[in-house]
Amino acid sequence: MKLKSPGLKIIDWYIIRQFLGTFIFSIALMIVITVVFDANEKLDYFLKPEVTLHEIVFDYYFNFIPYFISLFSPIFTFISVIFLTSRLANRSEIIAILSNGISFRRLMAPYFISAFIIAASNFVLMSYIIPPASITRIDFQNKYIRNKKIDYGSNIRLEVEPGVFAYFDSYRDGSRMGYRFSLDHFEDKTLVSRLTASSIRYDSLYRWTIIDYVIRDFEGMHERITTGTRMDTTLTFMPSDFLISENDGESMTNPQLARHIGRQKQRGIGNVQLFEIEYHQRFATILSFFIMTVIGVSLSSRKIKGGMGLNIGIGIGLSFSYILFSKISSSFAISGYVSPMIAVWIPNALYTLITVFLYRRAPN
C-alpha cells in the first residue's frame, strides 16, 4: 500500500522527484569531472614516493567530495531548478498547471520542499560532518601539496585571563619557541606584576617553559625583583590561539566555532573575522537555497524563444554573480570595514530584493 502525504498531489511528488533527481545527477556528474581535473592538476604531487594510494583516496578525495558538494550545492540547486522548470515550460506543462486553477504560489510548494531537503542536508554537512573530515584533508594538502599552515607570528598580544596580558615579540611554531616574552598582571587597572623573559618554549596542553626571566612585583612604592634561568608553568593559551591559518575555521563544527570566537574576543585577539565569516556563512547559506529556487522558477517558468539554453545561461550568470558578490562583501569584513555578520548577509538581502521582483513578474 502506497502512503501519500496529506496536501501533496501527484504533480508535487513528480516535481520533488525530478528536482532532487536532477540535483543529485548534476552534482554527481560535476564531482566526477572535478575529481578528474583535480587529479590531473595534482598528479606530480600524487606520484611522489612517500604518497600512498590509500592516502590519496581516503585522506584526500574521500574528504574532498563532501566539501565540494557543500560548496557548490547552491549553484547546482539553481541549475537544477532552471533545467527542470524550463523543461516543464517548453512542454507547456506550466501553462496547463496554472490553467487548472493551481496558483504560481501553490506551484512553488514542491520546489520549497525540495530546497528544504537539500538545505537541511547541506547544513548538517557543513556544520558537523565536513569539519572533522577537513582536518584530514587539510593535513594531507599541507603535507604533500602546499603548506598553508601559519607557523610564525610577530607582535602578538592576547589576554590570558581577566587582568593578565601576554606579549610575544615573535613566535616560531617549528621550534615551539617565542622570543621577548612578557606577562603583565593588572588589578583595578594598576600594574602589580610584570614578567619578562628572553624566550619561552611551548611544551603541550598549556604547559610552557620560561627561559631567562625577570619578575617585578610592585607593592606601592616598593618593587621586588625575582630572576631565574628556567621556570615551568601553566598558561591558559596555546599557539593555535594566535597562529591562525586561512582554513582553520573549516575544521571546526558550529559549537567549536562559537566557543573559539567567544574565547578569542575575550582575550582581545582581533583576527577572528575569518572564523566569524565561516560561522555566519553556514546559516546564510540556508536562505540562499530558497533564494536561488525562487529566482530559478520565476526566470524559467515562461516559455521563451531562446529555450532552455538561454534560461540556463542566465541562471549560471546569476549564480556566479551571487558568489562573486559574496566574496567581495567578505573581503570588506576581513579588512574590518563592516562586521562579518553584515558582510555575509548583505548578498542574501540584495538577492532577496531581486527574488521579490522576479517573483512578481512570474506568470500567474
Side-chain angles (χ1 to χ4, degrees):
M1 181 179 178
K2 187 176 180 181
L3 296 175
K4 294 184 178 180
S5 298
L8 292 181
K9 303 179 183 297
I10 294 176
I11 187 63
D12 295 323
W13 287 110
Y14 173 75
I15 291 174
I16 291 170
R17 285 196 303 269
Q18 292 295 316
F19 189 162
L20 297 179
T22 303
F23 172 80
I24 293 171
F25 175 79
S26 60
I27 204 165
L29 181 63
M30 197 63 190
I31 286 170
V32 172
I33 296 172
T34 302
V35 168
V36 170
F37 277 96
D38 186 75
N40 183 63
E41 181 184 351
K42 296 180 173 65
L43 190 60
D44 291 340
Y45 301 105
F46 293 161
L47 291 178
K48 291 179 180 179
E50 63 269 24
V51 185
T52 65
L53 181 61
H54 183 275
E55 288 177 309
I56 295 171
V57 174
F58 292 99
D59 291 354
Y60 182 64
Y61 281 113
F62 187 76
N63 299 309
F64 170 81
I65 289 173
Y67 172 76
F68 177 85
I69 292 173
S70 173
L71 186 64
F72 290 100
S73 283
I75 294 179
F76 284 102
T77 298
F78 197 23
I79 293 173
S80 300
V81 171
I82 292 281
F83 183 83
L84 170 61
T85 312
S86 295
R87 189 171 57 186
L88 293 176
N90 287 336
R91 294 174 180 174
S92 300
E93 292 179 75
I94 297 289
I95 297 174
I97 292 170
L98 298 177
S99 298
N100 278 280
I102 297 178
S103 66
F104 187 77
R105 181 179 178 181
R106 174 61 182 82
L107 178 64
M108 291 297 304
Y111 285 98
F112 275 137
I113 292 172
S114 303
F116 175 80
I117 293 171
I118 297 173
S121 302
N122 189 69
F123 180 76
V124 173
L125 270 178
M126 283 193 303
S127 303
Y128 301 102
I129 297 176
I130 291 177
S134 292
I135 296 175
T136 306
R137 175 178 59 84
I138 292 170
D139 285 345
F140 179 92
Q141 290 175 313
N142 289 339
K143 185 177 180 181
Y144 297 120
I145 300 174
R146 184 181 301 168
N147 190 358
K148 294 184 178 181
K149 185 177 181 180
I150 302 297
D151 57 5
Y152 174 80
S154 60
N155 294 322
I156 302 163
R157 296 176 176 85
L158 69 156
E159 186 175 7
V160 179
E161 56 188 64
V164 181
F165 299 87
Y167 170 80
F168 293 84
D169 183 67
S170 63
Y171 181 86
R172 296 184 180 277
D173 198 43
S175 59
R176 293 190 166 191
M177 291 293 296
Y179 300 94
R180 295 183 182 177
F181 174 74
S182 66
L183 191 69
D184 296 334
H185 184 195
F186 290 84
E187 290 182 2
D188 297 327
K189 298 183 180 181
T190 301
L191 182 65
V192 296
S193 176
R194 162 170 281 189
L195 179 150
T196 57
S198 62
S199 59
I200 182 172
R201 183 172 64 248
Y202 177 66
D203 184 5
S204 60
L205 198 60
Y206 307 120
R207 292 176 61 85
W208 296 80
T209 300
I210 301 173
I211 301 169
D212 295 332
Y213 63 89
V214 177
I215 301 175
R216 290 179 169 86
D217 293 309
F218 304 100
E219 299 173 355
M221 300 297 294
H222 302 283
E223 177 182 353
R224 186 175 71 254
I225 299 177
T226 306
T227 61
T229 57
R230 177 188 175 97
M231 178 173 62
D232 295 325
T233 187
T234 299
L235 299 172
T236 56
F237 62 89
M238 297 183 294
S240 59
D241 289 330
F242 51 83
L243 295 181
I244 299 171
S245 301
E246 181 181 348
N247 45 20
D248 281 351
E250 297 175 10
S251 60
M252 296 184 186
T253 63
N254 276 9
Q256 290 171 337
L257 265 176
R259 287 195 299 269
H260 181 80
I261 292 168
R263 189 163 172 250
Q264 296 294 82
K265 284 186 173 181
Q266 184 181 5
R267 291 182 167 181
I269 300 176
N271 53 349
V272 294
Q273 291 92 339
L274 287 174
F275 295 94
E276 290 184 283
I277 289 171
E278 176 70 23
Y279 181 76
H280 293 296
Q281 189 70 57
R282 294 177 183 180
F283 292 94
T285 302
I286 298 173
L287 181 59
S288 71
F289 284 98
F290 296 97
I291 291 174
M292 295 290 106
T293 298
V294 177
I295 291 178
V297 178
S298 301
L299 272 177
S300 54
S301 55
R302 292 182 184 274
K303 191 174 182 179
I304 58 176
K305 291 182 180 179
M308 189 184 303
L310 180 60
N311 285 333
I312 292 176
I314 295 172
I316 292 174
L318 279 172
S319 298
F320 281 99
S321 69
Y322 176 84
I323 293 174
L324 178 62
F325 190 61
S326 298
K327 295 295 183 183
I328 293 173
S329 63
S330 295
S331 67
F332 282 108
I334 294 171
S335 302
Y337 293 110
V338 294
S339 73
M341 184 176 71
I342 293 176
V344 167
W345 284 94
I346 280 177
N348 279 350
L350 176 62
Y351 277 78
T352 296
L353 297 177
I354 297 175
T355 301
V356 172
F357 173 76
L358 292 174
Y359 178 79
R360 288 181 176 179
R361 290 176 57 88
N364 289 289

